Amino acid sequence: MNNDPVREPDPSPSLPVGDTERAAAAARLEQAVGHGQLDLNGYIDRLDRSSRARTGAELAEITGDLAPIVGTTPAVVPRSTALFDNVVRAENWHLPARSKATAVFADIELDLRRATITDSEIRIDATCVFGDIRITVPEGVEVVLDSDSVLSDTHSCTLAAVPRIPGTPLIRVQPTGWFGRVLIESRKAGEPRLSTRFREGWRRWRAKRNG
């Protein structure tokens, strides 16, 4: 992600804007997500609005609440470990350039839509031992699943058929372990995360069976 200083877009509020002003706004948003001022959902939403902005006032509404960038965001290195008890990371959390998730007889849920990500490439080392690691990403984020695990069920990565959004990070997931799975899906902002959808489907099936 670009860390060079970016001049704030400053078109006249009442005048129409063109590609130059929109590009400046996009660059400012890319800096904001790269310094932890926006999560991925917020960045994608604002980038879409900036591409459709017609006046300076509309662009100002999109970037005006972003504080000046001073220095860098401190790195946070989460290690998610689920041992006989499930772990969920879903609300306003910081995902560093490299992190580890280990599920042993339990499941881990990682929802990256509300994550703060300050690096252009992310690696998640996912270890599953009789457990699942379920990862939800926003639509338009590219994920590479580097699978070389032994004695594991089939891992899966199902992404929406949309182009990668400029400024979003590349997510690399490296699964290892035995008799576990890594399941990855892209979901829109308002949709439930991957494991929640599974649980809701299971409840409906049980209710229908018992009803």
Side-chain angles (χ1 to χ4, degrees):
M1 296 182 182
N2 183 18
N3 291 323
D4 296 331
V6 174
R7 183 178 63 85
E8 291 284 348
D10 189 27
S12 174
S14 60
L15 294 180
V17 295
D19 291 340
T20 300
E21 291 80 12
R22 294 191 193 97
R28 178 66 184 93
L29 294 173
E30 184 174 343
Q31 268 204 343
V33 72
H35 284 77
Q37 292 182 324
L38 296 172
D39 59 30
L40 285 181
N41 269 351
Y43 169 71
I44 291 171
D45 174 68
R46 294 193 189 208
L47 188 66
D48 177 64
R49 289 163 53 198
S50 70
S51 69
R52 295 181 284 107
R54 294 292 178 263
T55 66
E58 292 177 355
L59 281 183
E61 183 180 348
I62 294 167
T63 61
D65 64 333
L66 300 175
I69 294 174
V70 179
T72 59
T73 302
V76 178
V77 182
R79 176 189 292 270
S80 302
T81 303
L83 180 60
F84 297 101
D85 193 14
N86 296 340
V87 169
V88 177
R89 288 185 177 271
E91 296 293 335
N92 300 322
W93 60 293
H94 183 190
L95 182 66
R98 185 161 186 173
S99 64
K100 295 183 179 181
T102 304
V104 181
F105 290 96
D107 295 339
I108 293 178
E109 305 172 22
L110 304 177
D111 191 342
L112 273 55
R113 293 174 296 178
R114 296 295 303 277
T116 297
I117 297 177
T118 58
D119 298 278
S120 59
E121 185 170 321
I122 300 295
R123 172 168 172 168
I124 301 174
D125 294 321
T127 301
C128 312
V129 181
F130 292 94
D132 292 345
I133 296 178
R134 302 182 177 100
I135 302 174
T136 307
V137 301
E139 291 187 354
V141 171
E142 183 178 354
V143 181
V144 176
L145 181 61
D146 297 321
S147 178
D148 60 359
S149 56
V150 179
L151 297 179
S152 291
D153 294 334
T154 303
H155 305 298
S156 68
C157 181
T158 305
L159 304 179
V162 298
R164 180 180 175 182
I165 296 175
T168 57
L170 171 65
I171 310 295
R172 291 187 176 275
V173 180
Q174 178 70 58
T176 58
W178 300 267
F179 302 105
R181 299 176 300 170
V182 172
L183 308 173
I184 305 169
E185 273 196 28
S186 60
R187 310 297 301 169
K188 295 180 179 178
E191 293 181 317
R193 61 182 183 267
L194 180 58
S195 59
T196 303
R197 293 173 55 241
F198 286 157
R199 284 199 298 266
E200 289 176 349
W202 171 254
R203 291 193 190 103
R204 288 194 297 268
W205 181 83
R206 289 292 299 272
K208 183 177 179 181
R209 182 183 181 186
N210 296 332

